[in-house]
Amino acid sequence: MFENFAYADLPQDDEDLRPLVRQIAADAVVDLPMDQRARSWSGFDAAFSRKLGEAGLLGLTIPEQYGGGGRGPFARFVVVEELLAAGAPVAAHWIADRQSAPLILNFGTEEQRQFYIPRICRGEALFCIGMSEPGSGSDLASVTTKAERTKKGWRLNGQKIWTTNSLHSDYMIALVRTSGGAEDRHKGLSQLIVDLKLPGITIKPISDLTGDAHFAEVFFDDVDLSADALIGEEGAGWKQVVAELAFERSGPERIYSSIILLDSWIAHLREAGRSDDTTLSLVGEFMARLATLRGMSVACTALLAAGESPVVEASIIKDLGTSFEQDLPAAIANDLASHPDESANPELYRTLQYVSHIAPSFSLRGGTREILRGIIARGLGLR
């Protein structure tokens, strides 16, 4: 398994995207304080996403015939890395660009590709993903939201929860049960595209510890969908979701959630003139872990570029990456508390407070640590 993490270089053509992305990202964050830049994942700015689309920086892995860049996963790696490193607001296009467009491209009908994908590439169609349900957590096989066939299509009933940005999205790609029951586990699950403006849909925000409300509950009460809402094969939803999650779990987004805090703290160390062995050792540890995780993420991107579906490799990166992201705020808090005589920028403290509050969610979103370790164990033949 671990030999799959072979060293890979980013192609120069893709590296050449960095100056353009850096300039656009710098313009977007120039007036944002550090604690707002630390909200990059949840920073919702539809105008910024449309600007990225106009610059050709969305849909980079999508063929040109659907409005995409006709490039590979390495190009998207470069763009995502630069946006997160700057703390740019990526939430508006985040899910559609990373997961929805590739899913529709791989499993959708030609009509679905023609309708949705060009709008995603322009930053004009915003998507959320409906997977988690009350009582099921990351156990997607226990999904109970049902879609029943009607003469015109499907009728949807049930509830999703922890649905990121559903309050602001145009569409949801929902994992629902179209046959069987929870006892059937992975059988009978399908994916449907749901227009969130349809009658019968109620969306209620959920506030997190930081006071932000980018999660929501979504209720479906006799929602009528047309027949072409189905993506791929009926009953093949589990297989499609597993492939989709490889896009979500393997990228640089699983490394940089706390990077603005790390940057702020290192800037503080420079300003304070602190360079004792203990401090340098801590900084060096963070840098070594970050460099290793980045190398693993690039290796996983190379597998995606080769047309593989690195589900287990992506799970390893997410598990290790979120542990790194969660360790940072605790270690930086301990360091600052150990040097009470140092004067620090209030923005550093606000950033530390935000990241400390949100960090527990890092190992929940996109699959809990327990689910990921189950996938890894199966990949290693241990269960």
Side-chain angles (χ1 to χ4, degrees):
M1 175 58 59
F2 297 103
E3 62 269 21
N4 291 346
F5 290 106
Y7 180 81
D9 282 322
L10 292 163
Q12 188 57 51
D13 284 354
D14 298 324
E15 288 282 9
D16 290 343
L17 289 169
R18 290 193 191 276
L20 173 62
V21 189
R22 282 180 187 174
Q23 185 58 59
I24 293 176
D27 291 343
V29 304
V30 64
D31 294 323
L32 292 182
M34 286 290 183
D35 57 309
Q36 289 300 314
R37 290 171 60 189
R39 286 168 161 81
S40 182
W41 262 67
S42 56
F44 196 97
D45 187 339
F48 175 68
S49 295
R50 287 194 295 273
K51 189 172 184 178
L52 289 174
E54 290 169 3
L57 297 175
L58 298 183
L60 285 161
T61 64
I62 300 299
E64 292 176 312
Q65 69 186 93
Y66 301 114
R71 306 175 71 132
F74 286 118
R76 184 178 178 279
F77 185 101
V78 168
V79 172
V80 171
E81 184 171 53
E82 290 295 336
L83 293 177
L84 295 181
V90 300
H93 66 271
W94 194 231
I95 290 171
D97 179 63
R98 180 179 63 191
Q99 290 171 246
S100 306
L103 179 77
I104 294 170
L105 178 68
N106 290 330
F107 299 106
T109 64
E110 184 58 25
E111 289 75 17
Q112 288 171 335
R113 293 180 189 129
Q114 295 282 355
F115 181 77
Y116 293 108
I117 296 179
R119 296 163 65 206
I120 291 175
C121 295
R122 294 194 298 268
E124 296 174 355
L126 312 182
F127 278 70
C128 63
I129 295 174
M131 291 191 184
S132 296
E133 295 187 1
S136 66
S138 291
D139 183 11
L140 299 181
S142 64
V143 162
T144 59
T145 295
K146 288 188 176 180
E148 298 175 323
R149 280 196 178 275
T150 64
K151 291 182 179 178
K152 296 183 178 178
W154 304 89
R155 180 158 296 158
L156 185 61
N157 281 285
Q159 180 189 354
K160 296 293 179 181
I161 196 169
W162 310 120
T163 312
T164 305
N165 290 325
S166 51
L167 281 167
H168 310 293
S169 295
D170 302 303
Y171 304 98
M172 170 192 288
I173 294 182
L175 182 69
V176 303
R177 187 163 291 284
T178 50
S179 64
E183 67 279 6
D184 296 306
R185 301 300 291 168
H186 302 155
K187 298 178 182 176
L189 296 175
S190 303
Q191 287 183 294
L192 299 174
I193 302 178
V194 181
D195 183 338
L196 293 175
K197 298 181 183 62
L198 287 172
I201 297 177
T202 303
I203 304 176
K204 296 181 179 179
I206 301 172
S207 296
D208 62 26
L209 278 173
T210 70
D212 294 343
H214 51 276
F215 292 124
E217 294 177 284
V218 184
F219 300 86
F220 306 107
D221 185 11
D222 285 336
V223 179
D224 287 320
L225 306 176
S226 58
D228 61 4
L230 178 69
I231 304 178
E233 298 177 36
E234 182 182 350
W238 176 257
K239 176 183 173 183
Q240 294 171 191
V241 163
V242 169
E244 179 185 349
L245 288 175
F247 293 104
E248 179 180 357
R249 292 172 175 164
S250 64
E253 46 266 61
R254 299 305 175 184
I255 302 172
Y256 292 114
S257 298
S258 303
I259 201 70
I260 297 298
L261 174 62
L262 179 60
D263 282 348
S264 301
W265 175 63
I266 291 175
H268 162 75
L269 295 177
R270 288 198 182 100
E271 189 170 336
R274 178 147 58 93
S275 59
D276 58 273
D277 289 346
T278 301
T279 301
L280 293 178
S281 176
L282 186 58
V283 173
E285 177 190 333
F286 287 151
M287 293 300 106
R289 290 174 69 183
L290 178 60
T292 302
L293 286 165
R294 183 179 185 274
M296 294 172 69
S297 186
V298 172
C300 200
T301 303
L303 294 175
L304 289 171
E308 299 183 33
S309 184
V311 175
V312 179
E313 293 85 349
S315 299
I316 293 172
I317 292 171
K318 183 182 182 298
D319 186 28
L320 295 175
T322 51
S323 294
F324 169 70
E325 292 174 323
Q326 289 176 331
D327 288 346
L328 276 169
I332 291 173
N334 286 337
D335 176 79
L336 293 176
S338 300
H339 299 83
D341 296 334
E342 288 181 355
S343 175
N345 188 325
E347 279 191 29
L348 172 57
Y349 285 117
R350 288 199 299 270
T351 306
L352 175 60
Q353 182 182 42
Y354 169 74
V355 177
S356 297
H357 279 157
I358 202 70
S361 72
F362 295 167
S363 54
L364 298 176
R365 61 191 186 191
T368 65
R369 180 166 284 132
E370 290 75 15
I371 291 291
L372 295 173
R373 292 183 178 177
I375 294 171
I376 295 166
R378 279 193 294 274
L380 294 173
L382 300 176
R383 57 179 296 196

